[in-house]
Amino acid sequence: MPERFGRRIPEPTVVRLPVYQRVLLGLSAEGVATVSSAELAEAAGVNAAKVRKDLSHFGTYGTPGTGYDVDYLLGQIQRELGTDQERPVVIVGLGHLGHALARSQGFAGGGFRLVGLFDIDASTVGEEVAGQLVRHICELEEVCRREGVAVGIITTPAGAAQDVADHLATGGVSAILNFAPAVISVPPRVQVRHVDFSAELQVLAFYQAHPEAVATRDSAAAWRGSHALRAHAVHQGSHDVHQGSVAFDAPVGADSHGGASHPVAP
Amino acid sequence: MPERFGRRIPEPTVVRLPVYQRVLLGLSAEGVATVSSAELAEAAGVNAAKVRKDLSHFGTYGTPGTGYDVDYLLGQIQRELGTDQERPVVIVGLGHLGHALARSQGFAGGGFRLVGLFDIDASTVGEEVAGQLVRHICELEEVCRREGVAVGIITTPAGAAQDVADHLATGGVSAILNFAPAVISVPPRVQVRHVDFSAELQVLAFYQAHPEAVATRDSAAAWRGSHALRAHAVHQGSHDVHQGSVAFDAPVGADSHGGASHPVAP
DNA sequence: TAGATTGTTAATCGATTAACAATC
DNA sequence: TAGATTGTTAATCGATTAACAATC
């Protein structure tokens, strides 16, 4: 029995949950009934001990000698992630990125519902995007309060991000996903996660400039393994995994082989 | 003297470097000459000990009693990040997100140059985006080799991501920024960073569903501090910080107060 | 039963943080 | 000099990992 309350879930564990969920969605769609920690680990790009440790924080869902029931485990993870409840979301900043996110498939899958788009620019306000009318930022606080908005997505330029964060916080929003290249400060009750495109590029550049600083990944072995598996799958015909598919809607065909091929029960 | 070689730089440190760089860019543009670890820390949303420890991995750049020379430190960090060299970049998958990234300002600032756009869809191939003609994916490997592409950005649906990663790897690309909601496996010489929009949303949802699991941030104190500072700045007039500005080009005005107000030398 | 795999323990690894002597 | 702040040390914290008894 894990110490159910008070449960202090390590943040790295929380970050891996959506990955496990996505893998399980793929397996479930394939009709795979059970999965071992080793198989789940390989598909998620981590190691088996981590999978078992992560899952043990929430309960004992597996069967020794057999593994985990895919659909049951999926349900448990979705319950933990709160996928059942619908969370109203707003996007602030309707530049190219804001437009792209508004039109993306990323909401529907995970229990999110887009309820508002906001911008400050007169030529953008009033435009219709993804079935929503873009409103002026001066309405932001009121809409957040009225609709009980759970998550605010900031896709403005850096200079506007703090101001928007302040309005979201005042409007009662308690979670912010910040795509603007700026550090924002918020009251303690507000959770912030920062997605920083150009910083990610710079991290990659750093490792290219300093090959000696590259951390040795597990994935070295993982790659050899999955490479063999994938080659094997292609050889056999078409046991391809089409993962998750809470995808951005880019028009590239999804006809290639998946990353995490998996021996399918016969 | 830090142990210059072999330098094993902790990954969390590498991830913070672009943040420090951005803050320093802002300070430099403001004409601020020196900055203490405490000031830099607050603007970057971390603590002072972390800043000093991070910087100490690269050298001794500060002056006891005074702090760090902004322009000198900025230069050192940019040198470490390899911002001086131009790195050719390609984007694969010209859906909404690929379009948005292609048009973003995220490349120019950090020493990246967009040299190719690729898609598999006949109706997208041939289109012009950001001054580049979209090419068919069958040309990807050859272009990567010819142009010596350093970073490949994947903005395809999940099902195509592994295939694209394979082509990039075969084409000699050694760094991949993956926006597709899929785990990809690559040979050990290839670095991968994964930006996962819907997973980030799900992490926020998890913490809303489990308020008791929220890690207590430093930022609680940081917020009170910066809040006071920002109020102070507004009071004084307009000592606003316009950070970095390696921004996405959303049309929201950058006329608000910045996140990291900073006492400016007179 | 024999084989496989879990959940948990304990060891290891690595990052964060506080504290402070050294230094300007 | 007195005050401020660095760079580094050592303690703390927390996550990862290997190993294995329990279990199907």
Side-chain angles (χ1 to χ4, degrees):
Chain A
M1 192 187 349
E3 359 83 19
R4 299 318 308 276
F5 292 86
R7 46 214 231 164
R8 170 121 302 96
I9 312 295
E11 182 174 319
T13 295
V14 176
V15 171
R16 285 188 291 265
L17 281 186
V19 181
Y20 299 149
Q21 186 220 26
R22 187 176 291 148
V23 171
L24 290 166
L25 276 171
L27 294 175
S28 179
E30 269 188 349
V32 177
T34 62
V35 65
S36 69
S37 59
E39 292 165 326
L40 182 47
E42 205 214 299
V46 300
N47 68 43
K50 210 177 273 179
V51 167
R52 293 201 300 277
K53 182 66 158 208
D54 283 344
L55 297 180
S56 77
H57 287 107
F58 303 102
T60 64
Y61 301 144
T63 308
T66 305
Y68 301 87
D69 182 282
V70 167
D71 289 320
Y72 178 69
L73 181 56
L74 180 56
Q76 293 304 313
I77 289 183
Q78 286 179 330
R79 188 173 52 77
E80 289 296 338
L81 285 172
T83 306
D84 40 325
Q85 296 157 65
E86 271 244 318
R87 291 168 203 282
V89 174
V90 295
I91 295 177
V92 188
L94 267 286
H96 294 309
L97 182 64
H99 270 95
L101 296 183
R103 292 169 179 144
S104 83
Q105 310 301 302
F107 299 112
F112 301 95
R113 188 166 49 94
L114 190 57
V115 301
L117 302 174
F118 298 87
D119 206 300
I120 205 171
D121 190 74
S123 69
T124 307
V125 172
E127 193 184 315
E128 190 182 316
V129 179
Q132 300 268 336
L133 233 54
V134 178
R135 279 175 276 200
H136 192 271
I137 235 173
C138 65
E139 297 182 58
L140 178 57
E141 280 184 28
E142 193 223 319
V143 171
C144 286
R145 264 196 230 88
R146 195 176 60 223
E147 303 270 359
V149 166
V151 184
I153 300 179
I154 301 180
T155 46
T156 67
Q162 182 61 54
D163 200 38
V164 170
D166 292 344
H167 287 306
L168 289 168
T170 307
V173 175
S174 65
I176 292 177
L177 185 49
N178 177 30
F179 285 88
V183 176
I184 59 179
S185 62
V186 294
R189 64 171 183 80
V190 180
Q191 288 289 308
V192 176
R193 293 192 64 85
H194 191 189
V195 176
D196 194 331
F197 163 62
S198 78
E200 295 292 341
L201 278 180
Q202 288 181 294
V203 170
L204 288 171
F206 175 88
Y207 284 118
Q208 281 187 332
H210 304 269
E212 80 281 3
V214 172
T216 45
R217 292 172 290 148
D218 328 333
S219 349
W223 184 72
R224 282 189 294 276
S226 77
H227 201 69
L229 267 177
R230 280 190 281 133
H232 185 64
V234 167
H235 223 235
Q236 284 202 326
S238 57
H239 283 315
D240 301 343
V241 173
H242 292 284
Q243 286 189 328
S245 219
V246 196
F248 289 104
D249 46 354
V252 167
D255 54 7
S256 64
H257 53 266
S261 286
H262 187 83
V264 178
Chain B
M1 192 187 349
E3 0 82 18
R4 300 316 311 274
F5 291 86
R7 46 214 230 168
R8 168 122 301 95
I9 311 293
E11 182 174 320
T13 295
V14 176
V15 171
R16 286 188 290 266
L17 282 186
V19 182
Y20 299 149
Q21 186 220 26
R22 187 176 289 148
V23 171
L24 290 167
L25 275 171
L27 294 176
S28 178
E30 269 187 350
V32 176
T34 62
V35 65
S36 70
S37 60
E39 294 165 324
L40 182 47
E42 205 214 298
V46 300
N47 69 42
K50 212 178 270 180
V51 167
R52 292 201 299 278
K53 183 67 157 194
D54 283 345
L55 298 181
S56 77
H57 286 107
F58 302 103
T60 65
Y61 299 145
T63 307
T66 304
Y68 301 86
D69 182 282
V70 168
D71 289 321
Y72 179 69
L73 182 56
L74 179 56
Q76 294 303 313
I77 289 181
Q78 287 180 329
R79 188 173 53 78
E80 288 297 339
L81 285 172
T83 305
D84 39 325
Q85 295 154 66
E86 271 243 318
R87 290 169 204 281
V89 173
V90 295
I91 296 177
V92 187
L94 268 286
H96 294 309
L97 181 64
H99 270 94
L101 296 184
R103 290 169 181 143
S104 83
Q105 310 304 301
F107 299 111
F112 301 96
R113 188 165 50 94
L114 190 56
V115 301
L117 302 174
F118 298 87
D119 205 298
I120 204 169
D121 191 71
S123 69
T124 307
V125 172
E127 194 185 315
E128 189 181 317
V129 180
Q132 300 266 336
L133 233 55
V134 177
R135 278 175 276 199
H136 192 272
I137 237 173
C138 66
E139 297 182 57
L140 178 57
E141 280 185 27
E142 192 222 320
V143 172
C144 286
R145 263 196 230 90
R146 196 176 60 222
E147 304 269 0
V149 166
V151 184
I153 300 179
I154 301 179
T155 46
T156 66
Q162 182 62 55
D163 199 38
V164 170
D166 291 345
H167 286 306
L168 289 169
T170 307
V173 174
S174 65
I176 291 177
L177 184 49
N178 177 29
F179 285 87
V183 175
I184 58 178
S185 62
V186 294
R189 64 170 184 81
V190 179
Q191 288 290 307
V192 176
R193 294 193 64 86
H194 191 188
V195 175
D196 194 330
F197 163 61
S198 78
E200 295 292 339
L201 277 180
Q202 288 181 294
V203 170
L204 287 171
F206 175 89
Y207 284 119
Q208 282 187 331
H210 305 269
E212 80 282 3
V214 172
T216 44
R217 289 173 292 148
D218 329 332
S219 350
W223 183 72
R224 283 190 292 278
S226 77
H227 201 69
L229 268 177
R230 280 188 281 133
H232 184 64
V234 167
H235 223 236
Q236 284 201 327
S238 59
H239 282 315
D240 300 342
V241 173
H242 291 285
Q243 287 190 327
S245 220
V246 196
F248 289 103
D249 46 356
V252 167
D255 53 8
S256 65
H257 51 268
S261 287
H262 186 84
V264 178

